[in-house]
Amino acid sequence: LRSGKKENPYGYVLAQRFIGNQMLIDGFPFTFRIWTILSCGPSTCRSYVFDGSIIPFGDKKVPPESGDSTVTNAEDLIVNLFLQDRDSAKDPWSMRELKDYLLNKTGTHDAFEKIWKDVKRITARTLAAAIPNIRKEAKR
């Protein structure tokens, strides 16, 4: 992958953007770390979402007295596993742990299935938006 005229020394690209109104689990903000594979040939592209993706938690618990169930500032959501205080943060969850948590809270798999369907849809749209640039780079 190329970034401008410099060669990317890592061999991959990470793209992320803060999204407001972050949800909380047990007072901790979280995000999804979704791993995908995008395979492009001369005429087709296929993508795969890895169901072993993880859910990292922020290292700061939102105080219950705030009365807020969401996090609206990027500074309040630190999910970079290399930068946050790992001793005060919850360990990342697997998708299975999230599924079990939601089943315990709601009594059905419906909440998880809706979330996972939305994650796959949004991931597909994100990758689809990149395909024209990927094809252009592949031709070079």
Side-chain angles (χ1 to χ4, degrees):
L1 297 174
R2 295 171 94 62
S3 175
K5 295 192 184 233
K6 292 183 179 180
E7 204 52 48
N8 180 345
Y10 304 107
Y12 61 88
V13 174
L14 172 66
Q16 64 186 45
R17 185 183 108 196
F18 176 75
I19 298 171
N21 294 328
Q22 258 335 128
M23 297 180 289
L24 304 173
I25 291 181
D26 297 332
F28 287 93
F30 67 96
T31 189
F32 292 96
R33 185 83 29 99
I34 305 299
W35 290 305
T36 61
I37 296 173
L38 181 63
S39 174
C40 290
S43 61
T44 62
C45 285
R46 294 189 60 90
S47 64
Y48 304 90
V49 176
F50 179 52
D51 64 0
S53 299
I54 63 169
I55 297 139
F57 289 89
D59 61 349
K60 297 179 187 132
K61 189 171 186 173
V62 175
E65 61 272 4
S66 71
D68 193 6
S69 61
T70 61
V71 175
T72 55
N73 296 313
E75 299 82 36
D76 296 332
L77 178 65
I78 300 173
V79 295
N80 186 325
L81 300 177
F82 300 104
L83 297 179
Q84 68 180 332
D85 177 8
R86 291 302 307 146
D87 291 333
S88 63
K90 296 175 72 150
D91 287 334
W93 281 5
S94 66
M95 288 297 168
R96 169 49 93 190
E97 287 171 297
L98 177 63
K99 188 175 187 176
D100 291 345
Y101 174 85
L102 292 172
L103 175 62
N104 186 37
K105 289 286 187 185
T106 66
T108 74
H109 290 288
D110 294 348
F112 178 82
E113 294 304 326
K114 181 188 179 331
I115 290 170
W116 190 237
K117 181 180 174 184
D118 288 348
V119 164
K120 291 192 295 185
R121 180 180 46 81
I122 291 165
T123 302
R125 287 181 177 176
T126 301
L127 293 173
I131 287 175
N133 289 335
I134 292 170
R135 285 195 174 136
K136 186 172 90 178
E137 287 296 317
K139 285 180 184 178
R140 289 181 6 157

